[in-house]
């Protein structure tokens, strides 16, 4: 003899809410085997087993639309179908891990510039941004010609060299050194940038101002200990390169 469960009993057995059971009935995913004269739903043992299968698939994060396609598959066919889904799940897990790694790095103080979270690398975004702002200038054309084929990023060696220059500026700021002590650092920074294009002194002063004014660069410079390093860089670069300050 077939045993039937009331909706209340089904909710107590499975933890699924009455509202969810109503919804499954409305979309044809789980139709009760019987309805009493008063309209109360009666669920058979097969209904209960089907519901537990739905709960399993939903628990995997599968949409109701896909559950509806899978629910009537036998277990062997379902296993084959879920093998593909498992591959997709691994990709999602790996992506979530990457996102979590980036979040932890940011929380630990890593600047946005160094995070691997963008659809396009931030350095590449800056390059595109620069092409809109300075693409008409001879300096930009020179830079583009020298770096063509490698626009997206800088080499580890180049990054290390620039970091060491900024650390020298940081030490300068820490000891509140006079402008006379920074001439060799400014010249070193100038030589570094002129590897990529023939920047005028005026444009180099604008770059230094960008370090101090653009919040994206301010975030990058937080890795150095002095809180006003960007202001110090801008001041010392202007002192040595800005002809109007002479």
């Amino acid at each position: 003899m077939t045993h039937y469960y009331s909706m209340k009993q089904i909710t107590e057995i499975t933890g699924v809410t009455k509202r969810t059971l109503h919804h499954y009935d409305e979309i044809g995913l789980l139709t009760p085997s019987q309805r009493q004269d008063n309209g109360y739903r009666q669920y058979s043992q097969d209904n209960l087993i089907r519901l537990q299968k739905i709960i399993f698939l939903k628990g995997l994060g599968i949409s109701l639309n896909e559950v509806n396609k899978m629910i009537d598959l036998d277990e062997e066919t379902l296993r084959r179908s879920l093998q593909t889904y498992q591959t997709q799940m691994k990709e999602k897990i790996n992506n979530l891990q990457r996102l979590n790694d980036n979040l932890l790095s940011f929380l630990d103080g890593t600047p946005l510039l160094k995070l691997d979270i963008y659809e396009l690398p931030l350095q590449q975004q800056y390059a595109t941004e620069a092409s809109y702002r300075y693409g008409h200038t001879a300096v930009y054309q020179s830079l583009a010609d020298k770096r063509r084929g490698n626009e997206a990023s800088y080499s580890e060696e180049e990054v290390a060299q620039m970091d060491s220059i900024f650390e020298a500026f940081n030490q300068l700021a820490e000891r509140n050194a006079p402008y006379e002590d920074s001439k060799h650092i400014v010249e070193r920074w100038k030589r570094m940038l002129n590897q990529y294009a023939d920047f005028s002194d005026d444009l180099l002063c604008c770059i230094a101002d960008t370090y101090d004014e653009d919040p994206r660069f301010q975030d990058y410079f937080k890795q150095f200990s002095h809180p006003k390093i960007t202001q110090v860089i801008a001041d010392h670069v202007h002192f040595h390169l800005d002809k109007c300050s002479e």
Side-chain angles (χ1 to χ4, degrees):
M1 182 178 178
T2 303
H3 182 78
Y4 291 96
Y5 302 92
S6 67
M7 180 176 284
K8 180 180 179 182
Q9 290 172 330
I10 289 292
T11 62
E12 290 176 348
I13 292 170
T14 64
V16 174
T17 66
K18 291 182 179 180
R19 183 176 180 179
T20 298
L21 290 173
H22 281 295
H23 180 60
Y24 290 169
D25 189 6
E26 289 171 0
I27 64 176
L29 185 59
L30 181 67
T31 303
S33 293
Q34 289 186 356
R35 293 180 189 272
Q36 295 179 335
D37 293 339
N38 57 11
Y40 288 168
R41 294 167 172 83
Q42 293 286 299
Y43 294 87
S44 67
Q45 191 70 31
D46 287 341
N47 288 152
L48 177 58
I49 294 171
R50 183 182 180 89
L51 176 58
Q52 290 167 338
K53 192 173 180 180
I54 293 170
I55 294 170
F56 164 67
L57 294 172
K58 280 287 294 174
L60 294 176
I62 299 175
S63 69
L64 282 179
N65 185 48
E66 291 300 314
V67 169
N68 208 18
K69 296 176 182 178
M70 295 180 177
I71 192 63
D72 291 317
L73 299 177
D74 62 73
E75 288 200 3
E76 286 305 314
T77 306
L78 180 61
R79 284 192 177 92
R80 289 194 297 270
S81 179
L82 288 178
Q83 284 177 348
T84 300
Y85 182 77
Q86 198 269 338
T87 300
Q88 296 171 349
M89 181 181 287
K90 285 178 65 176
E91 292 176 358
K92 291 180 181 179
I93 291 172
N94 290 337
N95 186 51
L96 285 172
Q97 183 61 57
R98 182 179 68 84
L99 294 177
N100 186 59
D101 290 343
N102 275 277
L103 175 57
L104 291 175
S105 295
F106 180 72
L107 294 177
D108 286 340
T110 301
L112 293 175
L113 184 64
K114 292 190 174 182
L115 297 181
D116 176 30
I117 199 170
Y118 304 95
E119 291 188 18
L120 291 176
L122 205 56
Q123 196 67 254
Q124 184 175 336
Q125 293 184 40
Y126 288 164
T128 303
E129 178 184 332
S131 72
Y132 286 117
R133 296 177 63 183
Y134 309 117
H136 63 285
T137 66
V139 168
Y140 180 84
Q141 293 298 329
S142 174
L143 176 61
D145 289 341
K146 290 184 179 184
R147 296 197 63 82
R148 184 164 286 114
N150 189 33
E151 293 91 344
S153 62
Y154 294 91
S155 69
E156 291 184 7
E157 181 180 356
E158 289 172 321
V159 172
Q161 288 176 3
M162 191 60 78
D163 281 350
S164 69
I165 292 172
F166 291 142
E167 179 55 38
F169 275 116
N170 184 69
Q171 294 298 322
L172 199 75
E174 288 288 350
R175 59 188 179 87
N176 196 27
Y179 290 118
E180 290 74 15
D181 289 2
S182 63
K183 182 175 177 59
H184 69 288
I185 303 174
V186 172
E187 290 297 330
R188 184 181 167 199
W189 174 75
K190 177 179 177 179
R191 287 194 302 271
M192 180 74 184
L193 291 183
N194 278 323
Q195 292 179 27
Y196 312 120
D198 298 323
F199 290 105
S200 67
D201 285 355
D202 286 344
L203 188 51
L204 287 170
C205 288
C206 290
I207 292 172
D209 288 339
T210 300
Y211 292 162
D212 192 39
E213 297 167 359
D214 192 319
R216 295 169 297 183
F217 285 101
Q218 290 179 15
D219 193 43
Y220 163 78
F221 280 106
K222 287 178 182 178
Q223 64 183 299
F224 302 98
S225 59
H226 198 280
K228 295 185 177 181
I229 179 175
T230 55
Q231 181 181 327
V232 169
I233 292 173
D235 288 346
H236 284 254
V237 167
H238 274 278
F239 180 84
H240 292 292
L241 300 185
D242 189 348
K243 295 179 177 56
C244 292
S245 67
E246 295 178 354

PDB file of all heavy atoms in Angstrom, residues 179-202:
ATOM      1  N   TYR A 179      67.160  69.666  -1.354  1.00  0.00           N
ATOM      2  CA  TYR A 179      67.055  69.401  -2.786  1.00  0.00           C
ATOM      3  C   TYR A 179      68.398  69.008  -3.406  1.00  0.00           C
ATOM      4  O   TYR A 179      68.442  68.212  -4.348  1.00  0.00           O
ATOM      5  CB  TYR A 179      66.511  70.645  -3.503  1.00  0.00           C
ATOM      6  CG  TYR A 179      65.051  70.935  -3.200  1.00  0.00           C
ATOM      7  CD1 TYR A 179      64.681  72.128  -2.577  1.00  0.00           C
ATOM      8  CD2 TYR A 179      64.059  70.041  -3.545  1.00  0.00           C
ATOM      9  CE1 TYR A 179      63.349  72.406  -2.304  1.00  0.00           C
ATOM     10  CE2 TYR A 179      62.722  70.303  -3.271  1.00  0.00           C
ATOM     11  CZ  TYR A 179      62.379  71.485  -2.655  1.00  0.00           C
ATOM     12  OH  TYR A 179      61.064  71.737  -2.393  1.00  0.00           O
ATOM     13  N   GLU A 180      69.470  69.559  -2.869  1.00  0.00           N
ATOM     14  CA  GLU A 180      70.785  69.260  -3.441  1.00  0.00           C
ATOM     15  C   GLU A 180      71.112  67.766  -3.373  1.00  0.00           C
ATOM     16  O   GLU A 180      71.858  67.241  -4.204  1.00  0.00           O
ATOM     17  CB  GLU A 180      71.873  70.060  -2.709  1.00  0.00           C
ATOM     18  CG  GLU A 180      71.848  71.563  -2.974  1.00  0.00           C
ATOM     19  CD  GLU A 180      70.710  72.276  -2.263  1.00  0.00           C
ATOM     20  OE1 GLU A 180      70.096  71.675  -1.340  1.00  0.00           O
ATOM     21  OE2 GLU A 180      70.418  73.439  -2.627  1.00  0.00           O
ATOM     22  N   ASP A 181      70.533  67.070  -2.392  1.00  0.00           N
ATOM     23  CA  ASP A 181      70.844  65.647  -2.229  1.00  0.00           C
ATOM     24  C   ASP A 181      70.066  64.751  -3.198  1.00  0.00           C
ATOM     25  O   ASP A 181      70.342  63.555  -3.281  1.00  0.00           O
ATOM     26  CB  ASP A 181      70.509  65.206  -0.791  1.00  0.00           C
ATOM     27  CG  ASP A 181      71.488  65.777   0.223  1.00  0.00           C
ATOM     28  OD1 ASP A 181      72.384  66.544  -0.180  1.00  0.00           O
ATOM     29  OD2 ASP A 181      71.337  65.462   1.421  1.00  0.00           O
ATOM     30  N   SER A 182      69.101  65.317  -3.887  1.00  0.00           N
ATOM     31  CA  SER A 182      68.238  64.474  -4.716  1.00  0.00           C
ATOM     32  C   SER A 182      68.561  64.527  -6.203  1.00  0.00           C
ATOM     33  O   SER A 182      67.940  63.811  -6.998  1.00  0.00           O
ATOM     34  CB  SER A 182      66.770  64.887  -4.527  1.00  0.00           C
ATOM     35  OG  SER A 182      66.568  66.223  -4.982  1.00  0.00           O
ATOM     36  N   LYS A 183      69.536  65.327  -6.593  1.00  0.00           N
ATOM     37  CA  LYS A 183      69.814  65.507  -8.029  1.00  0.00           C
ATOM     38  C   LYS A 183      70.122  64.174  -8.707  1.00  0.00           C
ATOM     39  O   LYS A 183      69.585  63.877  -9.784  1.00  0.00           O
ATOM     40  CB  LYS A 183      70.979  66.478  -8.231  1.00  0.00           C
ATOM     41  CG  LYS A 183      71.283  66.753  -9.703  1.00  0.00           C
ATOM     42  CD  LYS A 183      72.368  67.807  -9.839  1.00  0.00           C
ATOM     43  CE  LYS A 183      72.722  68.035 -11.298  1.00  0.00           C
ATOM     44  NZ  LYS A 183      71.571  68.482 -12.105  1.00  0.00           N
ATOM     45  N   HIS A 184      70.935  63.329  -8.086  1.00  0.00           N
ATOM     46  CA  HIS A 184      71.307  62.055  -8.728  1.00  0.00           C
ATOM     47  C   HIS A 184      70.114  61.095  -8.805  1.00  0.00           C
ATOM     48  O   HIS A 184      70.024  60.275  -9.735  1.00  0.00           O
ATOM     49  CB  HIS A 184      72.470  61.406  -7.977  1.00  0.00           C
ATOM     50  CG  HIS A 184      72.115  60.891  -6.609  1.00  0.00           C
ATOM     51  ND1 HIS A 184      71.857  61.727  -5.538  1.00  0.00           N
ATOM     52  CD2 HIS A 184      71.955  59.615  -6.147  1.00  0.00           C
ATOM     53  CE1 HIS A 184      71.574  61.006  -4.479  1.00  0.00           C
ATOM     54  NE2 HIS A 184      71.614  59.724  -4.813  1.00  0.00           N
ATOM     55  N   ILE A 185      69.179  61.200  -7.837  1.00  0.00           N
ATOM     56  CA  ILE A 185      67.995  60.326  -7.862  1.00  0.00           C
ATOM     57  C   ILE A 185      67.064  60.761  -8.976  1.00  0.00           C
ATOM     58  O   ILE A 185      66.531  59.927  -9.726  1.00  0.00           O
ATOM     59  CB  ILE A 185      67.269  60.350  -6.505  1.00  0.00           C
ATOM     60  CG1 ILE A 185      68.219  59.948  -5.378  1.00  0.00           C
ATOM     61  CG2 ILE A 185      66.057  59.415  -6.532  1.00  0.00           C
ATOM     62  CD1 ILE A 185      67.608  60.076  -3.987  1.00  0.00           C
ATOM     63  N   VAL A 186      66.863  62.067  -9.103  1.00  0.00           N
ATOM     64  CA  VAL A 186      66.018  62.583 -10.176  1.00  0.00           C
ATOM     65  C   VAL A 186      66.596  62.216 -11.539  1.00  0.00           C
ATOM     66  O   VAL A 186      65.877  61.804 -12.453  1.00  0.00           O
ATOM     67  CB  VAL A 186      65.847  64.115 -10.051  1.00  0.00           C
ATOM     68  CG1 VAL A 186      65.120  64.685 -11.274  1.00  0.00           C
ATOM     69  CG2 VAL A 186      65.086  64.456  -8.779  1.00  0.00           C
ATOM     70  N   GLU A 187      67.916  62.358 -11.684  1.00  0.00           N
ATOM     71  CA  GLU A 187      68.561  62.004 -12.951  1.00  0.00           C
ATOM     72  C   GLU A 187      68.425  60.507 -13.250  1.00  0.00           C
ATOM     73  O   GLU A 187      68.230  60.116 -14.407  1.00  0.00           O
ATOM     74  CB  GLU A 187      70.039  62.396 -12.901  1.00  0.00           C
ATOM     75  CG  GLU A 187      70.298  63.891 -12.921  1.00  0.00           C
ATOM     76  CD  GLU A 187      69.815  64.546 -14.220  1.00  0.00           C
ATOM     77  OE1 GLU A 187      69.826  63.873 -15.266  1.00  0.00           O
ATOM     78  OE2 GLU A 187      69.403  65.716 -14.171  1.00  0.00           O
ATOM     79  N   ARG A 188      68.518  59.692 -12.217  1.00  0.00           N
ATOM     80  CA  ARG A 188      68.353  58.241 -12.393  1.00  0.00           C
ATOM     81  C   ARG A 188      66.934  57.925 -12.851  1.00  0.00           C
ATOM     82  O   ARG A 188      66.712  57.108 -13.738  1.00  0.00           O
ATOM     83  CB  ARG A 188      68.667  57.539 -11.078  1.00  0.00           C
ATOM     84  CG  ARG A 188      68.623  56.021 -11.135  1.00  0.00           C
ATOM     85  CD  ARG A 188      68.936  55.456  -9.768  1.00  0.00           C
ATOM     86  NE  ARG A 188      68.604  54.035  -9.685  1.00  0.00           N
ATOM     87  CZ  ARG A 188      68.422  53.388  -8.545  1.00  0.00           C
ATOM     88  NH1 ARG A 188      68.536  54.042  -7.389  1.00  0.00           N
ATOM     89  NH2 ARG A 188      68.119  52.106  -8.553  1.00  0.00           N
ATOM     90  N   TRP A 189      65.966  58.581 -12.231  1.00  0.00           N
ATOM     91  CA  TRP A 189      64.553  58.391 -12.615  1.00  0.00           C
ATOM     92  C   TRP A 189      64.323  58.847 -14.051  1.00  0.00           C
ATOM     93  O   TRP A 189      63.655  58.181 -14.838  1.00  0.00           O
ATOM     94  CB  TRP A 189      63.684  59.183 -11.632  1.00  0.00           C
ATOM     95  CG  TRP A 189      62.219  59.233 -11.955  1.00  0.00           C
ATOM     96  CD1 TRP A 189      61.297  58.245 -11.806  1.00  0.00           C
ATOM     97  CD2 TRP A 189      61.510  60.365 -12.479  1.00  0.00           C
ATOM     98  NE1 TRP A 189      60.046  58.678 -12.195  1.00  0.00           N
ATOM     99  CE2 TRP A 189      60.155  59.975 -12.610  1.00  0.00           C
ATOM    100  CE3 TRP A 189      61.878  61.676 -12.839  1.00  0.00           C
ATOM    101  CZ2 TRP A 189      59.177  60.834 -13.097  1.00  0.00           C
ATOM    102  CZ3 TRP A 189      60.908  62.530 -13.317  1.00  0.00           C
ATOM    103  CH2 TRP A 189      59.573  62.109 -13.444  1.00  0.00           C
ATOM    104  N   LYS A 190      64.927  59.981 -14.405  1.00  0.00           N
ATOM    105  CA  LYS A 190      64.788  60.514 -15.758  1.00  0.00           C
ATOM    106  C   LYS A 190      65.371  59.547 -16.787  1.00  0.00           C
ATOM    107  O   LYS A 190      64.752  59.292 -17.831  1.00  0.00           O
ATOM    108  CB  LYS A 190      65.487  61.871 -15.836  1.00  0.00           C
ATOM    109  CG  LYS A 190      65.475  62.514 -17.213  1.00  0.00           C
ATOM    110  CD  LYS A 190      66.166  63.876 -17.182  1.00  0.00           C
ATOM    111  CE  LYS A 190      66.214  64.488 -18.581  1.00  0.00           C
ATOM    112  NZ  LYS A 190      66.856  65.832 -18.565  1.00  0.00           N
ATOM    113  N   ARG A 191      66.564  58.984 -16.486  1.00  0.00           N
ATOM    114  CA  ARG A 191      67.179  58.023 -17.415  1.00  0.00           C
ATOM    115  C   ARG A 191      66.308  56.782 -17.570  1.00  0.00           C
ATOM    116  O   ARG A 191      66.199  56.230 -18.673  1.00  0.00           O
ATOM    117  CB  ARG A 191      68.570  57.627 -16.920  1.00  0.00           C
ATOM    118  CG  ARG A 191      69.630  58.706 -17.079  1.00  0.00           C
ATOM    119  CD  ARG A 191      71.023  58.137 -16.891  1.00  0.00           C
ATOM    120  NE  ARG A 191      71.198  57.508 -15.588  1.00  0.00           N
ATOM    121  CZ  ARG A 191      71.605  58.159 -14.499  1.00  0.00           C
ATOM    122  NH1 ARG A 191      71.854  59.467 -14.559  1.00  0.00           N
ATOM    123  NH2 ARG A 191      71.749  57.519 -13.349  1.00  0.00           N
ATOM    124  N   MET A 192      65.699  56.356 -16.465  1.00  0.00           N
ATOM    125  CA  MET A 192      64.839  55.169 -16.516  1.00  0.00           C
ATOM    126  C   MET A 192      63.662  55.395 -17.467  1.00  0.00           C
ATOM    127  O   MET A 192      63.372  54.564 -18.334  1.00  0.00           O
ATOM    128  CB  MET A 192      64.323  54.859 -15.108  1.00  0.00           C
ATOM    129  CG  MET A 192      63.406  53.646 -15.020  1.00  0.00           C
ATOM    130  SD  MET A 192      64.316  52.112 -15.168  1.00  0.00           S
ATOM    131  CE  MET A 192      62.942  50.936 -15.144  1.00  0.00           C
ATOM    132  N   LEU A 193      62.998  56.527 -17.346  1.00  0.00           N
ATOM    133  CA  LEU A 193      61.842  56.805 -18.195  1.00  0.00           C
ATOM    134  C   LEU A 193      62.253  57.041 -19.639  1.00  0.00           C
ATOM    135  O   LEU A 193      61.531  56.671 -20.577  1.00  0.00           O
ATOM    136  CB  LEU A 193      61.065  58.006 -17.660  1.00  0.00           C
ATOM    137  CG  LEU A 193      60.322  57.794 -16.337  1.00  0.00           C
ATOM    138  CD1 LEU A 193      59.539  59.046 -15.956  1.00  0.00           C
ATOM    139  CD2 LEU A 193      59.360  56.617 -16.431  1.00  0.00           C
ATOM    140  N   ASN A 194      63.409  57.629 -19.843  1.00  0.00           N
ATOM    141  CA  ASN A 194      63.847  57.913 -21.206  1.00  0.00           C
ATOM    142  C   ASN A 194      64.339  56.678 -21.955  1.00  0.00           C
ATOM    143  O   ASN A 194      64.727  56.781 -23.116  1.00  0.00           O
ATOM    144  CB  ASN A 194      64.926  58.999 -21.190  1.00  0.00           C
ATOM    145  CG  ASN A 194      64.329  60.395 -21.103  1.00  0.00           C
ATOM    146  OD1 ASN A 194      63.295  60.662 -21.699  1.00  0.00           O
ATOM    147  ND2 ASN A 194      64.966  61.270 -20.352  1.00  0.00           N
ATOM    148  N   GLN A 195      64.327  55.529 -21.287  1.00  0.00           N
ATOM    149  CA  GLN A 195      64.565  54.280 -22.004  1.00  0.00           C
ATOM    150  C   GLN A 195      63.393  53.983 -22.940  1.00  0.00           C
ATOM    151  O   GLN A 195      63.536  53.249 -23.912  1.00  0.00           O
ATOM    152  CB  GLN A 195      64.727  53.118 -21.026  1.00  0.00           C
ATOM    153  CG  GLN A 195      65.976  53.175 -20.171  1.00  0.00           C
ATOM    154  CD  GLN A 195      66.037  52.005 -19.207  1.00  0.00           C
ATOM    155  OE1 GLN A 195      65.487  50.941 -19.449  1.00  0.00           O
ATOM    156  NE2 GLN A 195      66.723  52.209 -18.091  1.00  0.00           N
ATOM    157  N   TYR A 196      62.218  54.528 -22.625  1.00  0.00           N
ATOM    158  CA  TYR A 196      61.003  54.202 -23.360  1.00  0.00           C
ATOM    159  C   TYR A 196      60.597  55.298 -24.339  1.00  0.00           C
ATOM    160  O   TYR A 196      59.888  55.044 -25.314  1.00  0.00           O
ATOM    161  CB  TYR A 196      59.851  53.946 -22.373  1.00  0.00           C
ATOM    162  CG  TYR A 196      60.244  53.022 -21.249  1.00  0.00           C
ATOM    163  CD1 TYR A 196      60.177  53.439 -19.920  1.00  0.00           C
ATOM    164  CD2 TYR A 196      60.718  51.743 -21.517  1.00  0.00           C
ATOM    165  CE1 TYR A 196      60.561  52.589 -18.895  1.00  0.00           C
ATOM    166  CE2 TYR A 196      61.103  50.905 -20.496  1.00  0.00           C
ATOM    167  CZ  TYR A 196      61.025  51.326 -19.186  1.00  0.00           C
ATOM    168  OH  TYR A 196      61.412  50.490 -18.171  1.00  0.00           O
ATOM    169  N   ALA A 197      61.011  56.526 -24.083  1.00  0.00           N
ATOM    170  CA  ALA A 197      60.693  57.628 -24.988  1.00  0.00           C
ATOM    171  C   ALA A 197      61.546  58.828 -24.593  1.00  0.00           C
ATOM    172  O   ALA A 197      62.103  58.879 -23.492  1.00  0.00           O
ATOM    173  CB  ALA A 197      59.219  57.982 -24.914  1.00  0.00           C
ATOM    174  N   ASP A 198      61.628  59.792 -25.506  1.00  0.00           N
ATOM    175  CA  ASP A 198      62.411  60.992 -25.241  1.00  0.00           C
ATOM    176  C   ASP A 198      61.519  62.029 -24.563  1.00  0.00           C
ATOM    177  O   ASP A 198      61.023  62.977 -25.184  1.00  0.00           O
ATOM    178  CB  ASP A 198      62.985  61.544 -26.553  1.00  0.00           C
ATOM    179  CG  ASP A 198      63.922  60.552 -27.216  1.00  0.00           C
ATOM    180  OD1 ASP A 198      64.653  59.862 -26.486  1.00  0.00           O
ATOM    181  OD2 ASP A 198      63.911  60.460 -28.461  1.00  0.00           O
ATOM    182  N   PHE A 199      61.308  61.816 -23.266  1.00  0.00           N
ATOM    183  CA  PHE A 199      60.444  62.717 -22.514  1.00  0.00           C
ATOM    184  C   PHE A 199      61.137  64.061 -22.287  1.00  0.00           C
ATOM    185  O   PHE A 199      62.295  64.110 -21.873  1.00  0.00           O
ATOM    186  CB  PHE A 199      60.096  62.107 -21.156  1.00  0.00           C
ATOM    187  CG  PHE A 199      59.187  60.918 -21.225  1.00  0.00           C
ATOM    188  CD1 PHE A 199      59.674  59.641 -21.032  1.00  0.00           C
ATOM    189  CD2 PHE A 199      57.842  61.074 -21.494  1.00  0.00           C
ATOM    190  CE1 PHE A 199      58.842  58.534 -21.095  1.00  0.00           C
ATOM    191  CE2 PHE A 199      56.991  59.989 -21.554  1.00  0.00           C
ATOM    192  CZ  PHE A 199      57.491  58.713 -21.357  1.00  0.00           C
ATOM    193  N   SER A 200      60.392  65.121 -22.530  1.00  0.00           N
ATOM    194  CA  SER A 200      60.908  66.441 -22.189  1.00  0.00           C
ATOM    195  C   SER A 200      60.869  66.615 -20.674  1.00  0.00           C
ATOM    196  O   SER A 200      60.132  65.916 -19.967  1.00  0.00           O
ATOM    197  CB  SER A 200      60.059  67.529 -22.855  1.00  0.00           C
ATOM    198  OG  SER A 200      58.757  67.545 -22.292  1.00  0.00           O
ATOM    199  N   ASP A 201      61.637  67.587 -20.188  1.00  0.00           N
ATOM    200  CA  ASP A 201      61.622  67.840 -18.746  1.00  0.00           C
ATOM    201  C   ASP A 201      60.243  68.288 -18.290  1.00  0.00           C
ATOM    202  O   ASP A 201      59.796  67.946 -17.181  1.00  0.00           O
ATOM    203  CB  ASP A 201      62.671  68.899 -18.385  1.00  0.00           C
ATOM    204  CG  ASP A 201      64.092  68.336 -18.431  1.00  0.00           C
ATOM    205  OD1 ASP A 201      64.238  67.114 -18.639  1.00  0.00           O
ATOM    206  OD2 ASP A 201      65.038  69.129 -18.269  1.00  0.00           O
ATOM    207  N   ASP A 202      59.548  69.057 -19.139  1.00  0.00           N
ATOM    208  CA  ASP A 202      58.199  69.506 -18.782  1.00  0.00           C
ATOM    209  C   ASP A 202      57.255  68.315 -18.607  1.00  0.00           C
ATOM    210  O   ASP A 202      56.450  68.279 -17.666  1.00  0.00           O
ATOM    211  CB  ASP A 202      57.653  70.434 -19.864  1.00  0.00           C
ATOM    212  CG  ASP A 202      58.303  71.807 -19.836  1.00  0.00           C
ATOM    213  OD1 ASP A 202      58.928  72.129 -18.810  1.00  0.00           O
ATOM    214  OD2 ASP A 202      58.194  72.535 -20.837  1.00  0.00           O
TER     215      ASP A 202
END
